[in-house]
Amino acid sequence: MTHDLIKRTYQHKNHIVDSFTKKYNIHELVYFEEYDRAIDAIKREKQLKNWHREWKINLIRSTNPCMKDLYKEYIL
């Protein structure tokens, strides 16, 4: 969860923070959800963490079938 998706994505793309993305060299933003309340975002994040990998991939492909990096589109 973040309040600034552009900043957080930039940090991950440039390995500025020690995280899962740095450890596994993940640097593309292929999916995100927006919420008005932090509590709702945290609840959803916890829910997704319990999902199987296949379910997560299907969710991503439902809105981004080509799994393209959305970062550049989002910052424009």
Side-chain angles (χ1 to χ4, degrees):
M1 187 194 84
T2 182
H3 295 286
D4 189 341
L5 183 61
I6 295 170
K7 179 180 176 182
R8 178 63 60 88
T9 305
Y10 176 85
Q11 291 171 337
H12 287 302
K13 283 181 164 295
N14 294 284
H15 305 291
I16 294 170
V17 293
D18 283 329
S19 64
F20 177 90
T21 57
K22 183 177 181 179
K23 181 177 179 181
Y24 293 97
N25 198 29
I26 297 168
H27 55 272
E28 293 182 352
L29 174 66
V30 294
Y31 182 81
F32 64 92
E33 295 179 12
E34 295 180 274
Y35 290 88
D36 292 328
R37 299 181 330 153
I39 191 74
D40 295 331
I42 292 167
K43 183 179 177 181
R44 177 64 166 162
E45 186 175 34
K46 287 181 180 182
Q47 179 187 39
L48 292 175
K49 284 185 179 183
N50 288 321
W51 282 21
H52 298 283
R53 179 179 172 81
E54 182 181 355
W55 297 354
K56 294 174 190 176
I57 291 171
N58 289 338
L59 175 63
I60 295 165
R61 289 192 186 277
S62 73
T63 59
N64 186 359
C66 297
M67 303 275 274
K68 66 180 177 177
D69 190 353
L70 303 173
Y71 178 70
K72 289 182 182 176
E73 292 177 26
Y74 188 75
I75 63 172
L76 297 177

